[in-house]
Each structure stands twice: as C-alpha cells, then as structure tokens.
Amino acid sequence: MFSNTSILAARLAEEGGWADTAAVVDEQTGAIHRHREIHARVRELADEFLDRGIGPGDHVGFLVGDRPEWMPAFLAVHAVGAVPLVVNPDLAAPVHSRMLEILPTRFVISYRDDALHIEGRNSRIPAVPHGHRDGTTASRYYLYSSGTTGTPKTVAHTSADLRFFHEAVGGKNGLDIRATDTIVSLSQYYFTYGFNNQFVYPLFSGASVVLNRQRRNEETFVDSLHRYGATLAFSVPSALAKLADHIESSAVERPAALRAIVSAGEPLPDAVVDRLEDRWQVPVLNQIGSTEVGNAFCANGVTRRAAGTAGFVCPGYAVQLRSDSGHPLPMSGSEQKIGAVWVTGPTIPSHAVTVNGTEELLADGWLETKDFGYWADNGGLVVVGRTDDFVHAGGISMSAVEIESAIRSCAGVEDCAVLAPLVDGVSTLSALVVMNPSTGEPEESFAVLRAQLRRHLDPFRVPKLWTPVSEIPRTGSGKIMRHKLSSVLGNEKHGMVR
C-alpha cells in the first residue's frame, strides 16, 4: 500500500494510460490541465513547501478553493509528509481560526493575488499521528463536518481509504467511471462529497473534473453540463429541486453526453427524481454517506440500482438497522421497520476531534450515523431522516424529512423546512416555506398547500403554522441547519392557517 498519495496518483495515471488526458478544466479561464502536468506541478510545489519549512507530521490548514491549484497543492502536502486540514476558504476569518485551533496547525496554505500563499502559525507541535483500527500510518488528511449542529468536528482519513471510496461509488458496480468521463460537481473540495467527486474518482479513473471557484446555481450548473460535455453530474436534493424547476420553466434540453445525475447529502424526494428523469431521461442515483465514513456506504449505480432508496450497501461496508433496544432489524420481511443506521468498514477512524476534545466514534467497531431508515423490498436503504430531523408535536414523534418532501412536491414551493416550536406553551408543527413569487399571496398559497397535503399525509403531519421566508438556512453541502430554524421563525411574521 502506498503511504504517499502523490506517488499513488502518478502511478495510477501511468498504468491507466491517462497521464496525457485532461485532469482539471478551469471553467473561468478555459485552461485544461493534464494529469502529467498536475504531477509535474506536485514536484515543484513539494520543493517549495520544504523550502518554507513544511515537513513530516506538520498540520497544514488547506484553504485553497475549487481551482486547478487545489489538486497539485494537496498532493504536494502529502509528498512532504505533512497533513492537510481541508477547510472552506469562504468562511469568515474567526471561523477559520476556530476550526484550525481544533488541531495544532503550523502552516496555512491559501490562494491570494492569483497565487498560493503560505503562512506560518504559532502552534504546539502536532501529536503523534494516529492510524485506523489496523494501525496503518498512511498519508492522512482531515475533513470537517458540514456543521448542521453548529459544532465543528474534524475527521482523519488516509490514502489507504481512497480505493474503498472509489469502489463504493465509481467502481464497475457503481457509476463505472472511466477516463472518458467528465465530472461537474455542485459540492466543492472541502466537503466529503465534493472531495470524492472532484479528487478521488478522477484520481482512480482518469476522468476530468470541471472546476469553478464560485458555487454554481441551477442555471450555471446546467450551462456547465452543456458547455463541457459532462457525463456525470453530482448535486444535492435541494439544488436538484431547483434544477427541475429551471428545466421545466425554461424547457432546457438534456445535455447530450450526460449519463447520470448523482445525489447525496440528505434524503432525495421521489418527486424530484421523477421530474428530472421524465424530462431528461437520465437516471438520478441517490446515495448516503458521512464525513466519518469518508464517502458513501450505500449507493446506487448505473446498472445496479434500488429505485426509491439510497442504494445497496457498498463493497467493503456492512450496515445494520437497530431497534430502540439495540438489536439488529431483519433486512427482509412483511413489515418495514424503522431503525437507527449503524455502519462498519475499513475507512472509519476510531475517533474524531472537536472543539471539546476527542470524540469516540465506534462502539464495538460500529459507527452510529444518527440516521434513521428502513430496508425496502428491493434491498436498498430508505433514509427517513437524522436524529435532529425528527420533530415532536402533540406527543407524537415524526420525520420532518417526510413532511418536507411532501411539501416540496407541491407546485410553487421552492424550499421548505419543518419544526415544532412552542406556541402558547404547546409544541406546534410548523413549516417555513420559500414560495415562488408568482404564486401570489402567501396566506392563499398556504391554504392550497394544506389542502393538497391532507390527501397524502395523516392529519397530524400537516403543519398548522405556516411562515413565508426568503430562504432556508443550509450548509454549503445542502443540508438544512436545523439549529438555526427557530431563529428564522422568530424573525418572521407568523401566519396561522387553520
């Protein structure tokens, strides 16, 4: 096993025959950077990093955005034996500092004035690198959780994990990614999902990735798919809902080369899948993963698909659904029993690091993902939400995700979130809704929505309090930031629709 990711990448390119094919396309300049050029740049940067004092074991804050410099700079950090901490460069400076203080960080690499910028930091010497459960000490990197709870957490993975990540999604039983593929990803490098889409899969397959420093909206996303002949599109459910609206309202034709759309980050509503597949006639493939696992642990592929689910269990992993008593639920049977999702596999580290210190991740070798789901008849995992995706109203616990999916399927709804605040001392199921401006007065629109929902949901699952909002707070990877919903509700004028 190669402990140096840069050596692994160069070897794969030579043996795979894609050293002279495109690796990265810069959407802002149109420049094409080939795999061989990437690896030559790695050697140059490694010498520069060594000259600047970056060496083995050093933690390096890595604040390089989605641009061609990201890949060679990341590989060069590994080439000198240092450990990149991959951070979103668009966050405010105080947030950067808070994140980088979780671990002892000696250097920060960012991008300023059209060049990489290296800055030293005052920090204690890094602790001895820790490995996975098998004791390996392969090249490490850290990714941060997307922050749906507002508590920063960073998780280590290694170069030994990367082949598992590619096999889980990009292998022959998955997307079957090849050197002829062109990838466009909404999620960016500093998220686990984007890290794999834009780095791991091209690394192991020779595919090219189209990068844009700016986060794409539905219009620029479609434009990228068309302009660069994208074959694979990676996005998140909330963005795919907006993409479906854009396709339908503007009669956007299917990109000619596109062979699949991939979704992750939160449960994908069936209505969004149906709209996209009906319009473009390409499969929309859902998956579920986590920062702790490092990628997907259940995923759908182009030939092996469990429709209406997050997919089959990925190679190398095992998944259990457990009851409240902790006992595994059967994968088949007459009843679809909802249980807590637990996963085990070779890429899950024993612990994470938070602002409050070390957090153990495993219990007897298994990770509790904080998701809930059930096994579908076709063998796929249906995810109904996370721990904080369940709301309690009137003494009843219910999935906010299921209610939100039903609301988003209604005409005129651009986005929504469900919560259960106290109203006059009573927990009340409430909906925050972003409506299309063309729908008219909110009160009238909400009355129509309630009437539609009553045909599909139990009466107690239909929100009683409806509030129009301009946007739903989401992380950069598209997940609802539920810890912020109450403050959004408190800042808006409430409208009760009975």
Side-chain angles (χ1 to χ4, degrees), residues 215-234:
R215 183 174 171 85
R216 300 178 177 98
N217 59 27
E218 59 273 17
E219 295 180 3
T220 56
F221 191 72
V222 167
D223 183 63
S224 298
L225 299 179
H226 278 279
R227 184 182 305 174
Y228 296 98
T231 58
L232 294 169
F234 292 84

PDB file of all heavy atoms in Angstrom, residues 215-234:
ATOM      1  N   ARG A 215     -19.589  28.930  -6.324  1.00  0.00           N
ATOM      2  CA  ARG A 215     -20.594  27.878  -6.214  1.00  0.00           C
ATOM      3  C   ARG A 215     -21.659  28.092  -7.279  1.00  0.00           C
ATOM      4  O   ARG A 215     -22.204  29.198  -7.431  1.00  0.00           O
ATOM      5  CB  ARG A 215     -21.221  27.884  -4.821  1.00  0.00           C
ATOM      6  CG  ARG A 215     -22.234  26.760  -4.609  1.00  0.00           C
ATOM      7  CD  ARG A 215     -22.702  26.746  -3.168  1.00  0.00           C
ATOM      8  NE  ARG A 215     -23.808  25.832  -2.954  1.00  0.00           N
ATOM      9  CZ  ARG A 215     -23.669  24.529  -2.721  1.00  0.00           C
ATOM     10  NH1 ARG A 215     -22.477  24.008  -2.670  1.00  0.00           N
ATOM     11  NH2 ARG A 215     -24.728  23.766  -2.523  1.00  0.00           N
ATOM     12  N   ARG A 216     -21.990  27.055  -8.018  1.00  0.00           N
ATOM     13  CA  ARG A 216     -22.934  27.158  -9.127  1.00  0.00           C
ATOM     14  C   ARG A 216     -24.381  27.166  -8.638  1.00  0.00           C
ATOM     15  O   ARG A 216     -24.732  26.484  -7.681  1.00  0.00           O
ATOM     16  CB  ARG A 216     -22.748  25.986 -10.099  1.00  0.00           C
ATOM     17  CG  ARG A 216     -21.355  25.890 -10.729  1.00  0.00           C
ATOM     18  CD  ARG A 216     -21.285  24.659 -11.622  1.00  0.00           C
ATOM     19  NE  ARG A 216     -20.011  24.521 -12.311  1.00  0.00           N
ATOM     20  CZ  ARG A 216     -19.009  23.745 -11.906  1.00  0.00           C
ATOM     21  NH1 ARG A 216     -19.146  23.040 -10.791  1.00  0.00           N
ATOM     22  NH2 ARG A 216     -17.890  23.660 -12.605  1.00  0.00           N
ATOM     23  N   ASN A 217     -25.234  27.931  -9.326  1.00  0.00           N
ATOM     24  CA  ASN A 217     -26.678  27.826  -9.113  1.00  0.00           C
ATOM     25  C   ASN A 217     -27.240  26.928 -10.219  1.00  0.00           C
ATOM     26  O   ASN A 217     -26.492  26.375 -11.039  1.00  0.00           O
ATOM     27  CB  ASN A 217     -27.350  29.195  -9.098  1.00  0.00           C
ATOM     28  CG  ASN A 217     -27.134  29.971 -10.396  1.00  0.00           C
ATOM     29  OD1 ASN A 217     -26.931  29.384 -11.475  1.00  0.00           O
ATOM     30  ND2 ASN A 217     -27.164  31.290 -10.317  1.00  0.00           N
ATOM     31  N   GLU A 218     -28.567  26.760 -10.250  1.00  0.00           N
ATOM     32  CA  GLU A 218     -29.155  25.838 -11.216  1.00  0.00           C
ATOM     33  C   GLU A 218     -28.874  26.236 -12.664  1.00  0.00           C
ATOM     34  O   GLU A 218     -28.669  25.374 -13.532  1.00  0.00           O
ATOM     35  CB  GLU A 218     -30.663  25.691 -10.988  1.00  0.00           C
ATOM     36  CG  GLU A 218     -31.474  26.980 -11.078  1.00  0.00           C
ATOM     37  CD  GLU A 218     -31.543  27.729  -9.762  1.00  0.00           C
ATOM     38  OE1 GLU A 218     -30.722  27.461  -8.857  1.00  0.00           O
ATOM     39  OE2 GLU A 218     -32.439  28.585  -9.641  1.00  0.00           O
ATOM     40  N   GLU A 219     -28.805  27.549 -12.935  1.00  0.00           N
ATOM     41  CA  GLU A 219     -28.564  27.996 -14.305  1.00  0.00           C
ATOM     42  C   GLU A 219     -27.119  27.763 -14.725  1.00  0.00           C
ATOM     43  O   GLU A 219     -26.855  27.260 -15.824  1.00  0.00           O
ATOM     44  CB  GLU A 219     -28.943  29.473 -14.437  1.00  0.00           C
ATOM     45  CG  GLU A 219     -30.426  29.748 -14.233  1.00  0.00           C
ATOM     46  CD  GLU A 219     -30.759  31.220 -14.374  1.00  0.00           C
ATOM     47  OE1 GLU A 219     -29.845  32.007 -14.679  1.00  0.00           O
ATOM     48  OE2 GLU A 219     -31.941  31.566 -14.182  1.00  0.00           O
ATOM     49  N   THR A 220     -26.173  28.138 -13.880  1.00  0.00           N
ATOM     50  CA  THR A 220     -24.771  27.944 -14.235  1.00  0.00           C
ATOM     51  C   THR A 220     -24.394  26.464 -14.202  1.00  0.00           C
ATOM     52  O   THR A 220     -23.501  26.026 -14.932  1.00  0.00           O
ATOM     53  CB  THR A 220     -23.852  28.745 -13.291  1.00  0.00           C
ATOM     54  OG1 THR A 220     -24.132  28.373 -11.933  1.00  0.00           O
ATOM     55  CG2 THR A 220     -24.091  30.236 -13.469  1.00  0.00           C
ATOM     56  N   PHE A 221     -25.085  25.682 -13.371  1.00  0.00           N
ATOM     57  CA  PHE A 221     -24.844  24.237 -13.331  1.00  0.00           C
ATOM     58  C   PHE A 221     -25.215  23.610 -14.675  1.00  0.00           C
ATOM     59  O   PHE A 221     -24.427  22.840 -15.261  1.00  0.00           O
ATOM     60  CB  PHE A 221     -25.655  23.616 -12.199  1.00  0.00           C
ATOM     61  CG  PHE A 221     -25.303  22.184 -11.890  1.00  0.00           C
ATOM     62  CD1 PHE A 221     -24.109  21.875 -11.271  1.00  0.00           C
ATOM     63  CD2 PHE A 221     -26.179  21.161 -12.194  1.00  0.00           C
ATOM     64  CE1 PHE A 221     -23.782  20.546 -10.963  1.00  0.00           C
ATOM     65  CE2 PHE A 221     -25.868  19.840 -11.899  1.00  0.00           C
ATOM     66  CZ  PHE A 221     -24.666  19.535 -11.286  1.00  0.00           C
ATOM     67  N   VAL A 222     -26.393  23.932 -15.171  1.00  0.00           N
ATOM     68  CA  VAL A 222     -26.820  23.410 -16.471  1.00  0.00           C
ATOM     69  C   VAL A 222     -25.883  23.880 -17.574  1.00  0.00           C
ATOM     70  O   VAL A 222     -25.519  23.117 -18.478  1.00  0.00           O
ATOM     71  CB  VAL A 222     -28.273  23.833 -16.778  1.00  0.00           C
ATOM     72  CG1 VAL A 222     -28.611  23.579 -18.247  1.00  0.00           C
ATOM     73  CG2 VAL A 222     -29.243  23.084 -15.888  1.00  0.00           C
ATOM     74  N   ASP A 223     -25.485  25.141 -17.511  1.00  0.00           N
ATOM     75  CA  ASP A 223     -24.580  25.679 -18.524  1.00  0.00           C
ATOM     76  C   ASP A 223     -23.267  24.896 -18.540  1.00  0.00           C
ATOM     77  O   ASP A 223     -22.730  24.588 -19.618  1.00  0.00           O
ATOM     78  CB  ASP A 223     -24.308  27.158 -18.247  1.00  0.00           C
ATOM     79  CG  ASP A 223     -23.432  27.794 -19.313  1.00  0.00           C
ATOM     80  OD1 ASP A 223     -23.859  27.857 -20.477  1.00  0.00           O
ATOM     81  OD2 ASP A 223     -22.309  28.218 -18.976  1.00  0.00           O
ATOM     82  N   SER A 224     -22.750  24.556 -17.372  1.00  0.00           N
ATOM     83  CA  SER A 224     -21.509  23.782 -17.298  1.00  0.00           C
ATOM     84  C   SER A 224     -21.694  22.393 -17.896  1.00  0.00           C
ATOM     85  O   SER A 224     -20.807  21.881 -18.601  1.00  0.00           O
ATOM     86  CB  SER A 224     -21.044  23.658 -15.845  1.00  0.00           C
ATOM     87  OG  SER A 224     -20.766  24.909 -15.291  1.00  0.00           O
ATOM     88  N   LEU A 225     -22.825  21.763 -17.611  1.00  0.00           N
ATOM     89  CA  LEU A 225     -23.092  20.431 -18.156  1.00  0.00           C
ATOM     90  C   LEU A 225     -23.088  20.451 -19.679  1.00  0.00           C
ATOM     91  O   LEU A 225     -22.518  19.560 -20.330  1.00  0.00           O
ATOM     92  CB  LEU A 225     -24.426  19.899 -17.645  1.00  0.00           C
ATOM     93  CG  LEU A 225     -24.585  19.716 -16.135  1.00  0.00           C
ATOM     94  CD1 LEU A 225     -25.981  19.197 -15.806  1.00  0.00           C
ATOM     95  CD2 LEU A 225     -23.534  18.752 -15.598  1.00  0.00           C
ATOM     96  N   HIS A 226     -23.708  21.461 -20.255  1.00  0.00           N
ATOM     97  CA  HIS A 226     -23.782  21.574 -21.718  1.00  0.00           C
ATOM     98  C   HIS A 226     -22.434  21.955 -22.312  1.00  0.00           C
ATOM     99  O   HIS A 226     -21.963  21.334 -23.278  1.00  0.00           O
ATOM    100  CB  HIS A 226     -24.832  22.618 -22.111  1.00  0.00           C
ATOM    101  CG  HIS A 226     -26.235  22.102 -22.101  1.00  0.00           C
ATOM    102  ND1 HIS A 226     -26.767  21.368 -23.138  1.00  0.00           N
ATOM    103  CD2 HIS A 226     -27.227  22.219 -21.181  1.00  0.00           C
ATOM    104  CE1 HIS A 226     -28.024  21.048 -22.860  1.00  0.00           C
ATOM    105  NE2 HIS A 226     -28.326  21.560 -21.671  1.00  0.00           N
ATOM    106  N   ARG A 227     -21.804  22.969 -21.764  1.00  0.00           N
ATOM    107  CA  ARG A 227     -20.608  23.539 -22.373  1.00  0.00           C
ATOM    108  C   ARG A 227     -19.444  22.559 -22.398  1.00  0.00           C
ATOM    109  O   ARG A 227     -18.675  22.527 -23.362  1.00  0.00           O
ATOM    110  CB  ARG A 227     -20.188  24.791 -21.618  1.00  0.00           C
ATOM    111  CG  ARG A 227     -18.987  25.516 -22.239  1.00  0.00           C
ATOM    112  CD  ARG A 227     -18.589  26.722 -21.417  1.00  0.00           C
ATOM    113  NE  ARG A 227     -19.713  27.645 -21.225  1.00  0.00           N
ATOM    114  CZ  ARG A 227     -19.663  28.719 -20.453  1.00  0.00           C
ATOM    115  NH1 ARG A 227     -18.536  29.003 -19.791  1.00  0.00           N
ATOM    116  NH2 ARG A 227     -20.720  29.500 -20.320  1.00  0.00           N
ATOM    117  N   TYR A 228     -19.317  21.744 -21.362  1.00  0.00           N
ATOM    118  CA  TYR A 228     -18.147  20.872 -21.272  1.00  0.00           C
ATOM    119  C   TYR A 228     -18.463  19.404 -21.545  1.00  0.00           C
ATOM    120  O   TYR A 228     -17.619  18.531 -21.329  1.00  0.00           O
ATOM    121  CB  TYR A 228     -17.497  21.025 -19.893  1.00  0.00           C
ATOM    122  CG  TYR A 228     -16.963  22.419 -19.697  1.00  0.00           C
ATOM    123  CD1 TYR A 228     -17.700  23.374 -19.004  1.00  0.00           C
ATOM    124  CD2 TYR A 228     -15.747  22.810 -20.262  1.00  0.00           C
ATOM    125  CE1 TYR A 228     -17.225  24.668 -18.852  1.00  0.00           C
ATOM    126  CE2 TYR A 228     -15.266  24.103 -20.110  1.00  0.00           C
ATOM    127  CZ  TYR A 228     -16.010  25.028 -19.411  1.00  0.00           C
ATOM    128  OH  TYR A 228     -15.535  26.309 -19.273  1.00  0.00           O
ATOM    129  N   GLY A 229     -19.656  19.126 -22.046  1.00  0.00           N
ATOM    130  CA  GLY A 229     -19.999  17.746 -22.385  1.00  0.00           C
ATOM    131  C   GLY A 229     -19.938  16.817 -21.192  1.00  0.00           C
ATOM    132  O   GLY A 229     -19.427  15.693 -21.285  1.00  0.00           O
ATOM    133  N   ALA A 230     -20.453  17.276 -20.051  1.00  0.00           N
ATOM    134  CA  ALA A 230     -20.385  16.486 -18.820  1.00  0.00           C
ATOM    135  C   ALA A 230     -21.134  15.169 -18.980  1.00  0.00           C
ATOM    136  O   ALA A 230     -22.220  15.106 -19.565  1.00  0.00           O
ATOM    137  CB  ALA A 230     -20.965  17.278 -17.653  1.00  0.00           C
ATOM    138  N   THR A 231     -20.528  14.115 -18.447  1.00  0.00           N
ATOM    139  CA  THR A 231     -21.177  12.808 -18.455  1.00  0.00           C
ATOM    140  C   THR A 231     -21.777  12.460 -17.092  1.00  0.00           C
ATOM    141  O   THR A 231     -22.708  11.670 -17.002  1.00  0.00           O
ATOM    142  CB  THR A 231     -20.167  11.718 -18.840  1.00  0.00           C
ATOM    143  OG1 THR A 231     -19.064  11.735 -17.924  1.00  0.00           O
ATOM    144  CG2 THR A 231     -19.649  11.947 -20.264  1.00  0.00           C
ATOM    145  N   LEU A 232     -21.231  13.060 -16.022  1.00  0.00           N
ATOM    146  CA  LEU A 232     -21.714  12.786 -14.672  1.00  0.00           C
ATOM    147  C   LEU A 232     -21.916  14.101 -13.922  1.00  0.00           C
ATOM    148  O   LEU A 232     -21.005  14.937 -13.879  1.00  0.00           O
ATOM    149  CB  LEU A 232     -20.719  11.910 -13.911  1.00  0.00           C
ATOM    150  CG  LEU A 232     -20.526  10.489 -14.445  1.00  0.00           C
ATOM    151  CD1 LEU A 232     -19.323   9.827 -13.777  1.00  0.00           C
ATOM    152  CD2 LEU A 232     -21.779   9.658 -14.235  1.00  0.00           C
ATOM    153  N   ALA A 233     -23.098  14.274 -13.336  1.00  0.00           N
ATOM    154  CA  ALA A 233     -23.425  15.481 -12.572  1.00  0.00           C
ATOM    155  C   ALA A 233     -23.666  15.084 -11.126  1.00  0.00           C
ATOM    156  O   ALA A 233     -24.482  14.189 -10.848  1.00  0.00           O
ATOM    157  CB  ALA A 233     -24.660  16.160 -13.149  1.00  0.00           C
ATOM    158  N   PHE A 234     -22.961  15.734 -10.190  1.00  0.00           N
ATOM    159  CA  PHE A 234     -23.120  15.467  -8.761  1.00  0.00           C
ATOM    160  C   PHE A 234     -23.757  16.689  -8.105  1.00  0.00           C
ATOM    161  O   PHE A 234     -23.252  17.808  -8.252  1.00  0.00           O
ATOM    162  CB  PHE A 234     -21.766  15.183  -8.109  1.00  0.00           C
ATOM    163  CG  PHE A 234     -21.141  13.889  -8.547  1.00  0.00           C
ATOM    164  CD1 PHE A 234     -20.403  13.822  -9.714  1.00  0.00           C
ATOM    165  CD2 PHE A 234     -21.296  12.736  -7.789  1.00  0.00           C
ATOM    166  CE1 PHE A 234     -19.817  12.638 -10.119  1.00  0.00           C
ATOM    167  CE2 PHE A 234     -20.717  11.542  -8.189  1.00  0.00           C
ATOM    168  CZ  PHE A 234     -19.974  11.488  -9.363  1.00  0.00           C
TER     169      PHE A 234
END
